[in-house]
Coordinates of all heavy atoms in Angstrom, one line a residue:
M1 N 11.7 -10.6 0.4 CA 10.5 -10.0 0.9 C 9.5 -9.8 -0.2 O 9.8 -9.6 -1.4 CB 10.9 -8.6 1.6 CG 10.9 -7.4 0.7 SD 12.2 -7.5 -0.6 CE 13.7 -7.3 0.3
T2 N 8.3 -9.8 0.2 CA 7.2 -9.5 -0.7 C 6.2 -8.6 0.0 O 6.1 -8.6 1.2 CB 6.4 -10.9 -0.9 OG1 7.3 -11.9 -1.5 CG2 5.3 -10.7 -1.9
R3 N 5.6 -7.7 -0.9 CA 4.7 -6.8 -0.3 C 3.3 -6.9 -1.0 O 3.3 -7.1 -2.3 CB 5.2 -5.4 -0.5 CG 5.5 -4.6 0.8 CD 6.3 -3.4 0.4 NE 7.7 -3.9 0.4 CZ 8.5 -3.9 -0.7 NH1 8.1 -3.5 -1.8 NH2 9.7 -4.4 -0.6
L4 N 2.2 -7.0 -0.3 CA 0.9 -7.0 -1.0 C 0.4 -5.6 -1.0 O 0.3 -4.9 0.0 CB -0.1 -7.9 -0.2 CG 0.4 -9.4 0.0 CD1 -0.6 -10.1 0.9 CD2 0.7 -10.0 -1.3
V5 N 0.2 -5.1 -2.2 CA -0.4 -3.7 -2.4 C -1.7 -3.7 -3.2 O -2.0 -4.7 -3.9 CB 0.6 -2.8 -3.1 CG1 2.0 -2.7 -2.3 CG2 1.0 -3.3 -4.5
E6 N -2.5 -2.7 -2.9 CA -3.7 -2.6 -3.7 C -3.6 -1.4 -4.6 O -3.3 -0.3 -4.1 CB -4.9 -2.4 -2.7 CG -5.1 -3.6 -1.8 CD -6.4 -3.4 -0.9 OE1 -7.0 -2.3 -1.0 OE2 -6.6 -4.3 -0.1
L7 N -3.9 -1.6 -5.9 CA -3.9 -0.5 -6.8 C -5.2 -0.4 -7.5 O -5.8 -1.4 -7.8 CB -2.8 -0.8 -7.9 CG -1.4 -0.8 -7.3 CD1 -0.4 -1.2 -8.5 CD2 -0.9 0.5 -6.7
E8 N -5.7 0.8 -7.7 CA -7.1 1.0 -8.2 C -7.1 1.3 -9.7 O -8.1 1.1 -10.3 CB -7.8 2.0 -7.4 CG -8.0 1.6 -5.9 CD -8.7 2.7 -5.1 OE1 -8.9 3.8 -5.7 OE2 -9.1 2.5 -4.0
E9 N -6.0 1.8 -10.2 CA -6.0 2.2 -11.6 C -6.0 0.9 -12.5 O -5.5 -0.1 -12.2 CB -4.7 3.0 -11.9 CG -4.6 4.3 -11.1 CD -5.8 5.3 -11.4 OE1 -6.3 5.2 -12.5 OE2 -6.1 6.0 -10.5
S10 N -6.6 1.1 -13.7 CA -6.7 0.0 -14.6 C -6.0 0.3 -15.9 O -6.3 -0.5 -16.9 CB -8.2 -0.4 -14.8 OG -8.9 0.7 -15.3
G11 N -5.3 1.4 -16.0 CA -4.6 1.7 -17.2 C -3.4 2.4 -17.0 O -3.0 2.7 -15.8
P12 N -2.6 2.7 -18.0 CA -1.3 3.3 -17.9 C -1.4 4.8 -17.5 O -2.4 5.5 -17.7 CB -0.6 3.2 -19.2 CG -1.8 3.2 -20.2 CD -2.9 2.5 -19.4
R13 N -0.3 5.3 -17.0 CA -0.1 6.8 -16.7 C 1.0 7.2 -17.6 O 2.1 6.8 -17.4 CB 0.2 7.0 -15.2 CG 0.9 8.3 -14.9 CD -0.1 9.4 -14.8 NE 0.5 10.5 -14.0 CZ 1.4 11.4 -14.4 NH1 2.0 11.3 -15.5 NH2 1.8 12.3 -13.5
R14 N 0.7 8.0 -18.6 CA 1.8 8.5 -19.5 C 2.6 9.6 -18.8 O 2.1 10.4 -18.2 CB 1.2 9.1 -20.8 CG 0.5 8.1 -21.7 CD 0.0 8.7 -22.9 NE -0.9 7.9 -23.6 CZ -0.5 6.8 -24.3 NH1 0.7 6.5 -24.4 NH2 -1.4 6.0 -24.9
L15 N 3.9 9.4 -18.9 CA 4.8 10.4 -18.3 C 4.9 11.6 -19.2 O 4.9 11.5 -20.4 CB 6.2 9.8 -18.1 CG 6.3 8.5 -17.2 CD1 7.7 8.0 -17.1 CD2 5.7 8.8 -15.9
E16 N 5.0 12.8 -18.5 CA 5.0 14.1 -19.2 C 6.3 14.7 -18.9 O 6.9 14.5 -17.8 CB 3.8 14.9 -18.7 CG 2.5 14.3 -18.9 CD 2.0 14.2 -20.4 OE1 2.6 15.0 -21.2 OE2 1.1 13.4 -20.6
P17 N 6.7 15.7 -19.8 CA 8.0 16.4 -19.4 C 7.9 17.1 -18.0 O 8.9 17.2 -17.3 CB 8.1 17.4 -20.6 CG 7.4 16.8 -21.7 CD 6.3 16.0 -21.0
S18 N 6.7 17.5 -17.6 CA 6.6 18.2 -16.3 C 6.8 17.2 -15.1 O 6.9 17.6 -14.0 CB 5.2 18.8 -16.2 OG 4.2 17.8 -16.3
D19 N 6.9 15.9 -15.5 CA 7.1 14.9 -14.4 C 8.6 14.9 -14.0 O 9.0 14.3 -12.9 CB 6.7 13.5 -14.8 CG 5.2 13.4 -14.9 OD1 4.5 13.9 -14.1 OD2 4.7 12.7 -15.8
I20 N 9.4 15.5 -14.7 CA 10.9 15.5 -14.4 C 11.2 16.4 -13.2 O 10.7 17.5 -13.1 CB 11.7 16.0 -15.6 CG1 11.5 15.0 -16.8 CG2 13.2 16.1 -15.2 CD1 12.2 15.5 -18.1
D21 N 11.9 15.8 -12.3 CA 12.2 16.5 -11.0 C 13.1 17.8 -11.4 O 14.2 17.5 -12.0 CB 12.9 15.6 -10.1 CG 13.3 16.3 -8.7 OD1 14.0 17.3 -8.8 OD2 12.8 15.8 -7.7
D22 N 12.7 18.9 -11.1 CA 13.4 20.2 -11.5 C 14.9 20.2 -10.9 O 15.8 20.6 -11.5 CB 12.7 21.3 -11.0 CG 11.4 21.6 -11.8 OD1 11.4 21.1 -12.9 OD2 10.5 22.3 -11.3
E23 N 15.0 19.6 -9.7 CA 16.4 19.7 -9.1 C 17.2 18.5 -9.5 O 18.5 18.8 -9.8 CB 16.2 19.5 -7.5 CG 15.6 20.8 -6.9 CD 15.4 20.7 -5.5 OE1 16.1 19.9 -4.8 OE2 14.7 21.5 -4.9
K24 N 16.8 17.3 -9.6 CA 17.6 16.1 -9.9 C 17.6 15.9 -11.4 O 18.5 15.2 -11.9 CB 17.0 14.9 -9.2 CG 17.1 15.0 -7.7 CD 16.6 13.7 -7.1 CE 16.7 13.8 -5.6 NZ 16.0 12.7 -4.8
G25 N 16.6 16.3 -12.2 CA 16.6 16.2 -13.6 C 16.2 14.8 -14.0 O 16.5 14.3 -15.1
D26 N 15.6 14.0 -13.1 CA 15.2 12.7 -13.4 C 13.7 12.4 -13.0 O 13.1 13.3 -12.4 CB 16.2 11.7 -12.8 CG 16.1 11.7 -11.3 OD1 15.3 12.4 -10.7 OD2 16.9 10.9 -10.7
I27 N 13.3 11.2 -13.3 CA 11.9 10.7 -12.9 C 12.2 9.5 -12.1 O 12.8 8.5 -12.6 CB 11.1 10.5 -14.1 CG1 10.8 11.7 -14.9 CG2 9.7 9.8 -13.6 CD1 10.0 11.4 -16.2
A28 N 11.7 9.4 -10.9 CA 11.8 8.2 -10.0 C 10.5 7.5 -10.0 O 9.6 8.0 -9.5 CB 12.3 8.6 -8.7
V29 N 10.4 6.3 -10.5 CA 9.2 5.6 -10.6 C 9.2 4.6 -9.3 O 10.2 3.9 -9.2 CB 9.1 4.7 -11.9 CG1 7.9 3.9 -11.9 CG2 9.1 5.7 -13.1
C30 N 8.1 4.6 -8.6 CA 8.0 3.7 -7.5 C 8.0 2.2 -7.8 O 7.2 1.8 -8.7 CB 6.8 4.0 -6.7 SG 6.4 3.0 -5.3
Q31 N 8.8 1.4 -7.2 CA 8.8 0.0 -7.4 C 8.3 -0.8 -6.2 O 8.2 -2.0 -6.2 CB 10.2 -0.5 -7.9 CG 10.6 0.0 -9.2 CD 11.8 -0.7 -9.7 OE1 11.7 -1.5 -10.6 NE2 13.0 -0.4 -9.1
C32 N 8.2 -0.1 -5.1 CA 7.8 -0.7 -3.8 C 6.3 -0.8 -3.6 O 5.9 -1.6 -2.9 CB 8.5 -0.1 -2.6 SG 7.7 1.5 -2.2
G33 N 5.6 0.1 -4.3 CA 4.1 0.0 -4.2 C 3.6 0.8 -3.0 O 2.4 0.8 -2.8
L34 N 4.4 1.5 -2.3 CA 3.9 2.2 -1.1 C 3.8 3.7 -1.3 O 3.3 4.4 -0.4 CB 5.0 2.0 0.0 CG 5.2 0.5 0.5 CD1 6.1 0.5 1.6 CD2 3.8 -0.1 0.8
S35 N 4.2 4.2 -2.4 CA 4.2 5.7 -2.6 C 2.8 6.3 -2.6 O 1.8 5.8 -3.2 CB 4.9 6.1 -3.9 OG 4.8 7.4 -4.1
D36 N 2.6 7.4 -1.9 CA 1.4 8.2 -2.0 C 1.2 9.0 -3.2 O 0.2 9.5 -3.5 CB 1.2 9.1 -0.8 CG 0.9 8.4 0.5 OD1 0.4 7.3 0.4 OD2 1.3 8.9 1.6
S37 N 2.3 9.0 -4.0 CA 2.4 9.8 -5.3 C 2.5 8.8 -6.4 O 3.0 9.1 -7.5 CB 3.5 10.7 -5.2 OG 3.4 11.7 -4.2
F38 N 2.1 7.5 -6.3 CA 2.3 6.6 -7.3 C 1.8 7.1 -8.6 O 0.7 7.7 -8.6 CB 1.5 5.3 -6.9 CG 1.9 4.0 -7.6 CD1 3.0 3.3 -7.1 CD2 1.3 3.6 -8.7 CE1 3.4 2.1 -7.7 CE2 1.7 2.4 -9.3 CZ 2.8 1.7 -8.8
P39 N 2.5 6.8 -9.7 CA 3.6 5.9 -9.9 C 5.0 6.5 -9.5 O 5.9 5.9 -9.9 CB 3.5 5.6 -11.4 CG 3.1 6.9 -12.0 CD 2.1 7.5 -11.0
F40 N 5.0 7.6 -8.9 CA 6.3 8.3 -8.6 C 6.7 7.9 -7.2 O 5.9 7.9 -6.2 CB 6.2 9.8 -8.8 CG 5.8 10.1 -10.2 CD1 4.5 10.7 -10.4 CD2 6.5 9.8 -11.3 CE1 4.1 11.0 -11.7 CE2 6.1 10.1 -12.5 CZ 4.9 10.7 -12.8
C41 N 8.0 7.8 -7.0 CA 8.6 7.5 -5.7 C 8.5 8.8 -4.8 O 8.8 9.9 -5.3 CB 10.1 7.2 -5.9 SG 11.0 7.1 -4.3
D42 N 8.1 8.5 -3.6 CA 8.0 9.7 -2.7 C 8.8 9.5 -1.5 O 8.7 10.2 -0.4 CB 6.5 10.0 -2.3 CG 5.9 8.9 -1.4 OD1 6.6 7.9 -1.2 OD2 4.7 9.1 -1.0
G43 N 9.7 8.4 -1.5 CA 10.5 8.1 -0.3 C 9.9 7.1 0.7 O 10.6 6.7 1.6
S44 N 8.7 6.7 0.4 CA 8.0 5.7 1.3 C 8.7 4.4 1.4 O 8.6 3.6 2.3 CB 6.6 5.5 0.9 OG 5.9 6.6 1.0
H45 N 9.6 4.1 0.4 CA 10.3 2.8 0.3 C 11.3 2.6 1.4 O 11.6 1.5 1.8 CB 11.1 2.6 -1.0 CG 12.1 3.8 -1.2 ND1 11.8 4.9 -1.9 CD2 13.3 3.9 -0.8 CE1 12.8 5.7 -2.0 NE2 13.7 5.1 -1.2
R46 N 11.6 3.7 2.1 CA 12.6 3.6 3.2 C 11.9 2.7 4.4 O 12.7 2.1 5.1 CB 12.8 5.1 3.8 CG 13.6 5.9 2.9 CD 13.9 7.2 3.5 NE 14.5 8.1 2.5 CZ 13.8 9.1 1.9 NH1 12.5 9.3 2.2 NH2 14.4 9.8 1.0
A47 N 10.6 2.6 4.4 CA 9.9 1.8 5.5 C 10.2 0.3 5.2 O 10.0 -0.6 6.1 CB 8.4 2.1 5.5
T48 N 10.7 0.0 4.0 CA 10.9 -1.5 3.7 C 12.3 -2.0 4.0 O 12.6 -3.1 3.7 CB 10.7 -1.7 2.1 OG1 11.7 -1.1 1.4 CG2 9.3 -1.1 1.8
R49 N 13.2 -1.0 4.4 CA 14.6 -1.4 4.5 C 14.9 -2.6 5.4 O 15.9 -3.3 5.2 CB 15.4 -0.2 4.9 CG 15.5 0.9 3.8 CD 16.4 2.0 4.2 NE 16.5 2.9 3.1 CZ 16.8 4.2 3.2 NH1 16.9 4.8 4.4 NH2 16.9 4.9 2.1
D50 N 14.1 -2.8 6.5 CA 14.5 -3.9 7.4 C 13.5 -5.1 7.2 O 13.4 -6.0 8.1 CB 14.4 -3.4 8.8 CG 13.0 -2.9 9.2 OD1 12.2 -2.7 8.3 OD2 12.8 -2.8 10.4
E51 N 12.9 -5.2 6.0 CA 12.0 -6.4 5.7 C 12.9 -7.7 5.6 O 14.0 -7.6 5.1 CB 11.3 -6.2 4.4 CG 10.2 -5.1 4.5 CD 9.4 -5.0 3.2 OE1 10.0 -5.4 2.1 OE2 8.4 -4.4 3.2
D52 N 12.4 -8.8 6.1 CA 13.0 -10.0 6.0 C 12.8 -10.6 4.6 O 11.7 -10.5 4.0 CB 12.5 -11.0 7.0 CG 12.9 -10.7 8.4 OD1 14.0 -10.0 8.5 OD2 12.2 -11.0 9.3
D53 N 13.8 -11.2 4.0 CA 13.7 -11.8 2.6 C 12.6 -12.8 2.5 O 12.0 -12.9 1.4 CB 15.0 -12.3 2.2 CG 16.1 -11.3 2.0 OD1 15.7 -10.1 1.8 OD2 17.3 -11.6 1.8
D54 N 12.3 -13.6 3.5 CA 11.4 -14.6 3.3 C 10.0 -14.3 3.8 O 9.1 -15.2 3.9 CB 11.9 -15.8 4.2 CG 13.3 -16.4 3.6 OD1 13.4 -16.2 2.4 OD2 14.0 -16.9 4.3
A55 N 9.7 -13.1 4.2 CA 8.4 -12.6 4.8 C 7.6 -11.9 3.7 O 8.1 -11.4 2.7 CB 8.6 -11.7 6.0
T56 N 6.3 -11.9 4.0 CA 5.4 -11.1 3.2 C 4.7 -10.1 4.0 O 4.3 -10.4 5.2 CB 4.3 -12.1 2.6 OG1 4.9 -13.0 1.7 CG2 3.3 -11.3 1.7
Y57 N 4.5 -8.9 3.6 CA 4.0 -7.8 4.4 C 2.9 -7.1 3.7 O 2.7 -7.1 2.5 CB 5.2 -6.7 4.6 CG 6.3 -7.3 5.3 CD1 7.5 -7.7 4.6 CD2 6.4 -7.3 6.7 CE1 8.6 -8.2 5.2 CE2 7.6 -7.8 7.3 CZ 8.6 -8.2 6.5 OH 9.7 -8.7 7.2
V58 N 2.0 -6.5 4.6 CA 1.0 -5.6 4.2 C 1.2 -4.3 5.0 O 1.5 -4.3 6.2 CB -0.5 -6.2 4.5 CG1 -1.5 -5.2 4.3 CG2 -0.7 -7.4 3.7
Y59 N 1.1 -3.2 4.3 CA 1.2 -1.9 5.0 C -0.2 -1.2 4.9 O -0.8 -1.0 3.9 CB 2.2 -1.0 4.2 CG 3.6 -1.4 4.3 CD1 4.1 -2.5 3.7 CD2 4.5 -0.7 5.2 CE1 5.5 -2.8 3.8 CE2 5.8 -1.1 5.4 CZ 6.3 -2.2 4.7 OH 7.6 -2.5 4.8
E60 N -0.7 -0.9 6.1 CA -2.0 -0.2 6.2 C -1.9 0.9 7.2 O -1.5 0.6 8.3 CB -3.1 -1.2 6.5 CG -3.4 -2.2 5.5 CD -4.5 -3.3 6.0 OE1 -4.3 -3.8 7.1 OE2 -5.3 -3.5 5.2
D61 N -2.5 2.1 6.9 CA -2.6 3.1 7.9 C -1.3 3.4 8.6 O -1.2 3.7 9.8 CB -3.6 2.8 8.9 CG -5.0 2.6 8.3 OD1 -5.4 3.3 7.3 OD2 -5.8 1.7 8.8
G62 N -0.1 3.3 7.7 CA 1.1 3.7 8.3 C 1.7 2.6 9.1 O 2.8 2.8 9.7
E63 N 1.1 1.4 9.2 CA 1.5 0.3 10.0 C 2.0 -0.8 9.0 O 1.3 -1.0 8.0 CB 0.5 -0.2 11.0 CG 0.0 0.9 11.9 CD 1.0 1.0 13.1 OE1 1.7 0.1 13.5 OE2 1.1 2.2 13.6
R64 N 2.9 -1.6 9.5 CA 3.4 -2.8 8.7 C 3.1 -4.0 9.5 O 3.3 -4.1 10.7 CB 4.9 -2.7 8.4 CG 5.4 -4.0 7.7 CD 6.8 -3.9 7.4 NE 7.6 -4.0 8.6 CZ 8.9 -3.7 8.6 NH1 9.6 -3.4 7.6 NH2 9.6 -3.8 9.7
R65 N 2.5 -5.0 8.9 CA 2.3 -6.2 9.5 C 2.8 -7.4 8.6 O 2.6 -7.3 7.4 CB 0.9 -6.4 10.0 CG -0.1 -6.5 9.1 CD -1.5 -6.5 9.7 NE -2.6 -6.3 8.7 CZ -3.2 -7.2 8.0 NH1 -2.9 -8.5 8.2 NH2 -4.1 -7.0 7.1
E66 N 3.2 -8.4 9.2 CA 3.6 -9.6 8.4 C 2.4 -10.5 8.2 O 1.7 -10.7 9.2 CB 4.8 -10.3 9.1 CG 5.4 -11.4 8.3 CD 6.6 -12.0 9.0 OE1 7.3 -11.4 9.8 OE2 6.9 -13.2 8.7
V67 N 2.2 -11.1 7.1 CA 1.1 -11.9 6.8 C 1.6 -13.3 6.2 O 2.7 -13.3 5.7 CB 0.1 -11.3 5.9 CG1 -0.6 -10.1 6.5 CG2 0.7 -11.0 4.5
E68 N 0.8 -14.3 6.4 CA 1.2 -15.6 5.8 C 0.6 -15.5 4.3 O -0.6 -15.1 4.1 CB 0.5 -16.7 6.6 CG 0.9 -18.0 6.0 CD 0.4 -19.2 6.9 OE1 0.1 -19.0 8.1 OE2 0.2 -20.3 6.3
R69 N 1.4 -15.9 3.5 CA 1.0 -15.8 2.0 C 0.6 -17.2 1.6 O 1.4 -18.2 1.7 CB 2.2 -15.4 1.1 CG 1.8 -15.2 -0.3 CD 2.8 -14.5 -1.1 NE 2.4 -14.1 -2.4 CZ 3.1 -13.9 -3.4 NH1 4.4 -13.8 -3.2 NH2 2.6 -13.6 -4.6
V70 N -0.6 -17.4 1.1 CA -1.2 -18.6 0.7 C -1.3 -18.6 -0.8 O -1.9 -17.7 -1.4 CB -2.5 -18.9 1.3 CG1 -3.0 -20.2 0.8 CG2 -2.4 -18.9 2.8
V71 N -0.6 -19.5 -1.5 CA -0.7 -19.6 -2.9 C -1.4 -20.8 -3.3 O -1.1 -21.9 -2.8 CB 0.8 -19.7 -3.5 CG1 0.7 -19.8 -5.1 CG2 1.6 -18.5 -3.1
T72 N -2.5 -20.6 -4.1 CA -3.3 -21.8 -4.5 C -3.1 -22.0 -6.0 O -2.8 -21.2 -6.7 CB -4.8 -21.5 -4.2 OG1 -5.2 -20.4 -5.0 CG2 -5.1 -21.3 -2.7
V73 N -3.2 -23.3 -6.4 CA -3.1 -23.6 -7.8 C -4.4 -24.3 -8.3 O -4.9 -25.2 -7.6 CB -1.9 -24.6 -8.0 CG1 -1.7 -25.1 -9.4 CG2 -0.6 -24.0 -7.5
D74 N -4.9 -23.8 -9.3 CA -6.1 -24.3 -9.9 C -5.6 -25.4 -10.9 O -5.2 -25.1 -12.0 CB -6.9 -23.3 -10.6 CG -8.2 -23.8 -11.2 OD1 -8.5 -25.0 -11.2 OD2 -9.1 -23.0 -11.6
E75 N -5.7 -26.7 -10.5 CA -5.2 -27.7 -11.4 C -6.1 -28.0 -12.6 O -5.6 -28.6 -13.5 CB -5.1 -29.0 -10.6 CG -4.0 -28.9 -9.5 CD -3.8 -30.2 -8.6 OE1 -4.3 -31.2 -9.0 OE2 -3.2 -30.1 -7.6
S76 N -7.2 -27.4 -12.6 CA -8.1 -27.5 -13.8 C -7.6 -26.7 -15.0 O -8.1 -26.9 -16.2 CB -9.6 -27.2 -13.5 OG -9.7 -25.8 -13.3
D77 N -6.7 -25.7 -14.7 CA -6.2 -24.9 -15.8 C -5.1 -25.6 -16.6 O -4.6 -25.2 -17.6 CB -5.6 -23.6 -15.3 CG -6.6 -22.6 -14.9 OD1 -7.8 -22.8 -15.3 OD2 -6.3 -21.6 -14.2
G78 N -4.7 -26.8 -16.1 CA -3.7 -27.6 -16.5 C -3.0 -27.6 -17.8 O -2.2 -27.7 -18.5
Ligands
LIG1 S1 10.2 3.1 -4.5 FE1 8.2 3.2 -3.8 S2 8.3 5.1 -2.7 FE2 10.2 5.0 -3.5

């Protein structure tokens, strides 16, 4: 599966000691791109559990839709 996500930040977010979860004692970094607390996991990844391996998805306004992924190659970069 592939997910298309939009991110607006253009630089890093330094982790601070206060980012450590008081109960679990760890920091969970989002890898699915869906978290409302990005870069931290907020559990939104649960929505991806039934994604098909060969599909590409976009999540908008709480809805998931499958999209066709078009990959172009610029042969002048050769
Ligand atoms: S990994 Fe993205 S919300 Fe958990």
Side-chain angles (χ1 to χ4, degrees):
M1 85 299 289
T2 302
R3 245 162 276 113
L4 302 177
V5 297
E6 293 181 4
L7 299 175
E8 296 179 352
E9 299 300 330
S10 59
R13 159 76 155 80
R14 294 187 191 283
L15 299 181
E16 305 289 340
S18 61
D19 292 324
I20 297 174
D21 186 297
D22 291 336
E23 292 179 17
K24 296 180 182 173
D26 63 4
I27 299 171
V29 176
C30 175
Q31 295 189 106
C32 74
L34 300 179
S35 176
D36 287 334
S37 301
F38 201 83
F40 304 110
C41 171
D42 70 354
S44 296
H45 59 266
R46 292 183 190 101
T48 70
R49 288 182 176 156
D50 62 345
E51 291 179 343
D52 291 330
D53 287 344
D54 297 328
T56 299
Y57 300 95
V58 170
Y59 289 78
E60 290 176 313
D61 302 324
E63 300 283 327
R64 176 179 69 192
R65 63 186 169 91
E66 188 173 335
V67 295
E68 184 173 336
R69 187 169 186 198
V70 178
V71 177
T72 60
V73 177
D74 184 353
E75 295 182 12
S76 66
D77 286 344

